[in-house]
Amino acid sequence: LAWTYRTGDATDRSQIQCQPIVVKGMLYATSPQVNVFALDAATGAEIWRFNPFQLLGGQNSWAGTNRGVTYWTDGTAERILFCAGNWLMSLDAKTGQPDTAFGDGGKVDLQKDLDTEMEQFLIVSNTPGIIYQDKLILGMRLSEGLDGAPGHIRAYNVRTGKREWIFHTIPHPGEFGNETWQEEFRDYIG
């Protein structure tokens, strides 16, 4: 055994399903309470730790699963992107501090920009998403009830937090597949 790191925030009701990543000798991961941390991968020494709920306000009342973080760099800036509940967040990979140029002070509300009038949905992103160039592509976990949000896939600019594009999983009017979906939905509801 080379080293062990204890997060110190596990409870009877928490779980950890995080897949750590290692970049340039730094290990990045999330704890059971969705604290993001950076360790020296050789020694296990903690470099920094960030509790997103200090920025979001309140305690982590969201009980769920977080499967890790995503790393992005342009060769100069380095960012760690992750989700906490319905929030997408960006941290400086070297310091663990929020990237204030990203969204609203380092965070983006995933309940917004779904191309629907409602904005109060159960939306959680358990996965860290995937980076393509300067975009983070992100899916969602949603309620399966009638109050469920649309399960659209979105891409966010990693520098600004702005939504760059959206793929409507239920096609909107004028989009490919809308007519077929309308017919199938009519058949379904009778």
Side-chain angles (χ1 to χ4, degrees):
L1 180 67
W3 55 263
T4 300
Y5 175 76
R6 301 195 188 287
T7 64
D9 64 356
T11 67
D12 291 344
R13 300 185 71 188
S14 65
Q15 58 178 319
I16 187 167
Q17 294 186 14
C18 172
Q19 175 64 48
I21 61 173
V22 177
V23 180
K24 300 179 185 177
M26 295 280 282
L27 181 146
Y28 300 98
T30 55
S31 74
Q33 296 298 313
V34 198
N35 284 214
V36 181
F37 56 87
L39 308 178
D40 181 312
T43 67
E46 184 177 284
I47 306 302
W48 55 257
R49 185 175 178 129
F50 175 76
N51 178 348
F53 299 98
Q54 288 178 335
L55 179 65
L56 298 173
Q59 296 294 317
N60 179 1
S61 60
W62 170 76
T65 303
N66 180 280
R67 296 194 173 104
V69 301
T70 302
Y71 172 87
W72 170 87
T73 186
D74 62 2
T76 305
E78 297 178 79
R79 297 292 178 258
I80 296 296
L81 296 118
F82 71 102
C83 292
N86 61 290
W87 295 94
L88 169 60
M89 303 182 82
S90 177
L91 304 176
D92 183 301
K94 294 176 185 170
T95 67
Q97 294 300 306
D99 173 12
T100 56
F102 183 86
D104 178 19
K107 63 190 185 312
V108 171
D109 187 347
L110 295 173
Q111 292 180 326
K112 302 196 182 310
D113 286 332
L114 278 167
D115 291 350
T116 182
E117 291 179 16
M118 284 186 59
E119 291 185 347
Q120 295 299 312
F121 294 108
L122 168 67
I123 292 181
V124 175
S125 183
N126 298 109
T127 63
I130 188 165
I131 296 287
Y132 176 72
Q133 296 178 350
D134 64 349
K135 294 169 184 56
L136 175 72
I137 302 169
L138 201 55
M140 301 290 125
R141 187 187 76 171
L142 314 163
S143 167
E144 294 179 14
L146 294 175
D147 63 340
H152 303 322
I153 300 167
R154 294 175 282 179
Y156 292 89
N157 184 298
V158 296
R159 297 172 196 270
T160 66
K162 180 180 180 231
R163 187 190 87 183
E164 293 283 328
W165 56 257
I166 187 169
F167 173 77
H168 298 120
T169 54
I170 299 173
H172 284 200
E175 294 178 342
F176 176 78
N178 178 263
E179 297 79 19
T180 305
W181 178 82
Q182 295 279 347
E183 290 171 17
E184 289 176 11
F185 185 69
R186 274 195 294 273
D187 292 343
Y188 175 75
I189 61 171

